[in-house]
Amino acid sequence: MTSVKKQTQVRLEEDVLEAGKAAARARSLDFNKYVERLIVEDTTGARAAGMAAAQRLIDEHGDFLDDLEQRLDAPYTDRQPGAAA
């Protein structure tokens, strides 16, 4: 089954466009696919479901995650003996 794609034009502020292109590159997507994915996620409820799941994770395990983050950051925040200032 083939899908027919329609072309449209969108006007964006230059900084918004550059931020979108950078976000697309970070996800290894071309800009069109990135915008398409954002629209699909927003209009199907996928984004809201993902955000709700993330919030549940934080609510249920936030203390553990905070502790883990502190433990992982400790080697970089505590001065090591003999380390250069």
Side-chain angles (χ1 to χ4, degrees), residues 39-52:
I39 292 168
V40 168
E41 288 174 357
D42 188 51
T43 58
T44 62
R47 180 173 298 276
M51 295 301 289

Side-chain angles (χ1 to χ4, degrees), residues 60-83:
E60 293 174 16
H61 305 288
D63 292 339
F64 170 78
L65 295 171
D66 288 342
D67 182 58
L68 179 62
E69 182 178 26
Q70 288 176 358
R71 289 173 185 247
L72 292 173
D73 287 345
Y76 304 104
T77 57
D78 295 338
R79 278 205 170 187
Q80 300 297 317

